Amino acid sequence: MIRIEQLTKIYPGRGADHLALDAVDLSIDKGEIFGIIGRSGAGKSTLIRCLNRLETPSSGRVLVDGQDLSTLSARELPRMRQRLGMIFQHFNLLHAKTVAQNVSFPLRLAGRHDRDAIDRRVDALLERVGLSAYRDSYPARLSGGQKQRVGIARALANAPSVLLSDEATSALDPQTTLSILQLLQDINRELGLTIVLITHEMSVIRNLCDRVAVLDHGRVVETGRVADIFLHPQHAVTRSLLAESGTPDEGALIQLRQRATGPLLRLTFVGDTTYQPLLSRATEETGLRFNILQGSVGRIKETPYGQLLVEAVGAHVEIGPALAFFTRWNVHHEVVA
Ligand SMILES: Nc1ncnc2c1ncn2[C@@H]1O[C@H](COP(=O)(O)OP(=O)(O)OP(=O)(O)O)[C@@H](O)[C@H]1O
Ligand SMILES: [Mg+2]
């Protein structure tokens, strides 16, 4: 469990200082995959770097399993860092060292000297990430995906309880990205590892994360379960990030509204209700018919969802009974003005 309390980071500038993090409060539960999104410069990397003290906060606290990082002595800090593995966009491998040497590096740094034990650990890690055959290769001979697998094995070497990932798939093609995400998800499940990941790819959040925080100008503007945030984004930044990633946007709505004659409803089905023929039932019960104008159906992590923009049509449209129907069936509904 990670608690972030009133975390503030000010970078001194030549003219004015730069407020990169502004009183951030967050808590990240053990075993969850927590996503952080936001525009470039929002403070995402600064936040994640404050979690393992690559960056020193200007004020506020970070508690990992109840331990306040700022109270740790210079001798205690490395031990705490071992509990927080990190993977990077550009892998940060040591090019003059083999795959096995890269993976064993943090073990040696942690003061382990038993060569046999180190070898066994490295072999197990390489097997886990599917790179046993590349033990003695140098990074220059590996593909981007393979390099990131080395990065993951290295991050896991000291059996951390948290894995921090800063744009770990941004340099990879879509197919390789998927395989790395699958590996992260498997590791999360097998080891109960907490993962904090930064990404600008909404699909990564949608497929992998349990909860998400949206950062803007150093502030958390929105946080919650991914399905809630993605289906009902409240903040303008969240909306525009989702719109750019192809989620039905507000712009198209203006045109749809001009052509529609009946009231417009946005209906959101999540989980069990997605398996029910609820639009037809609503018609049977209320006599209203529904014209689907826009919509998306899919999954957010494992949760099926559907979000439809419908126009209610009929001779004398009275939507009260339809709203009552949807309330009864637990379908989130919103009359679009
Ligand atoms: N070492 C530094 N010194 C001064 N300013 C910095 C430093 N690191 C980051 N900043 C500034 O702090 C702000 C937040 O930077 P940060 O790298 O955390 O953003 P980010 O959300 O990770 O962006 P990106 O998506 O581009 O990686 C930016 O305005 C950046 O210019
Ligand atoms: Mg960054």
Side-chain angles (χ1 to χ4, degrees):
M1 158 102 168
I2 301 173
R3 279 197 61 77
I4 299 166
E5 296 175 354
Q6 293 290 298
L7 190 69
T8 298
K9 174 70 186 180
I10 300 165
Y11 290 112
R14 269 197 230 123
D17 290 347
H18 185 82
L19 181 60
L21 292 178
D22 185 1
V24 169
D25 283 312
L26 278 178
S27 63
I28 298 168
D29 296 332
K30 190 169 165 37
E32 78 173 331
I33 307 188
F34 193 93
I36 299 171
I37 52 175
R39 299 218 168 276
S40 186
K44 306 179 296 294
S45 296
T46 304
L47 175 58
I48 216 168
R49 290 164 64 85
C50 283
L51 296 187
N52 61 0
R53 289 263 147 179
L54 285 176
E55 209 69 78
T56 311
S58 306
S59 62
R61 303 200 301 169
V62 175
L63 296 115
V64 178
D65 298 332
Q67 175 101 57
D68 180 351
L69 298 194
S70 66
T71 63
L72 296 177
S73 68
R75 272 187 50 224
E76 292 166 320
L77 190 58
R79 283 198 87 108
M80 174 55 80
R81 281 220 180 95
Q82 288 166 24
R83 288 162 63 181
L84 300 154
M86 182 144 178
I87 53 176
F88 305 87
Q89 179 173 4
H90 298 293
F91 324 122
N92 295 13
L93 301 181
L94 300 165
H95 293 281
K97 303 228 180 261
T98 64
V99 165
Q101 287 165 341
N102 268 280
V103 176
S104 66
F105 189 72
L107 293 168
R108 292 178 202 280
L109 216 56
R112 293 183 48 180
H113 298 295
D114 178 347
R115 284 187 65 164
D116 286 344
I118 290 179
D119 278 347
R120 281 198 301 277
R121 178 81 185 135
V122 169
D123 287 344
L125 288 160
L126 290 179
E127 175 155 4
R128 181 62 198 84
V129 300
L131 282 184
S132 297
Y134 295 86
R135 200 178 192 287
D136 299 315
S137 304
Y138 285 87
R141 302 281 299 274
L142 304 181
S143 70
Q146 289 169 332
K147 283 182 193 159
Q148 194 56 287
R149 285 171 188 271
V150 179
I152 292 171
R154 180 184 57 185
L156 295 179
N158 284 311
S161 55
V162 181
L163 183 66
L164 307 173
S165 163
D166 192 349
E167 299 281 10
T169 57
S170 299
L172 306 174
D173 63 66
Q175 199 59 41
T176 311
T177 292
L178 274 184
S179 74
I180 294 293
L181 296 179
Q182 186 65 54
L183 177 61
L184 290 180
Q185 185 160 43
D186 293 346
I187 290 168
N188 162 258
R189 294 206 173 130
E190 283 165 28
L191 307 176
L193 192 72
T194 309
I195 300 182
V196 183
L197 72 86
I198 294 175
T199 179
H200 66 272
E201 295 162 287
M202 297 302 123
S203 60
V204 172
I205 302 279
R206 185 190 297 272
N207 292 322
L208 207 63
C209 294
D210 299 298
R211 290 193 303 143
V212 63
V214 185
L215 268 192
D216 188 47
H217 292 102
R219 259 178 262 164
V220 174
V221 295
E222 198 161 357
T223 182
R225 297 199 63 79
V226 175
D228 294 333
I229 301 288
F230 274 36
L231 293 171
H232 307 291
Q234 301 295 318
H235 194 272
V237 168
T238 320
R239 290 189 184 169
S240 68
L241 287 169
L242 288 169
E244 286 158 27
S245 77
T247 307
D249 70 293
E250 300 292 318
L253 190 60
I254 298 170
Q255 291 182 5
L256 292 168
R257 199 185 289 134
Q258 280 169 353
R259 296 191 55 175
T261 53
L264 300 189
L265 291 176
R266 184 180 283 112
L267 305 174
T268 309
F269 307 82
V270 179
D272 288 344
T273 56
T274 55
Y275 299 109
Q276 308 281 340
L278 290 181
L279 278 186
S280 341
R281 278 207 191 148
T283 299
E284 284 164 19
E285 265 194 38
T286 67
L288 285 181
R289 284 173 294 145
F290 300 94
N291 179 22
I292 300 171
L293 300 175
Q294 196 183 54
S296 64
V297 288
R299 272 169 190 269
I300 294 177
K301 205 160 183 183
E302 277 98 20
T303 309
Y305 77 93
Q307 190 164 58
L308 303 177
L309 182 70
V310 301
E311 175 190 6
V313 282
H316 303 285
V317 178
E318 172 51 71
I319 56 170
L323 299 185
F325 172 88
F326 291 123
T327 302
R328 207 165 69 241
W329 278 95
N330 244 334
V331 175
H332 187 280
H333 51 80
E334 188 187 341
V335 181
V336 181

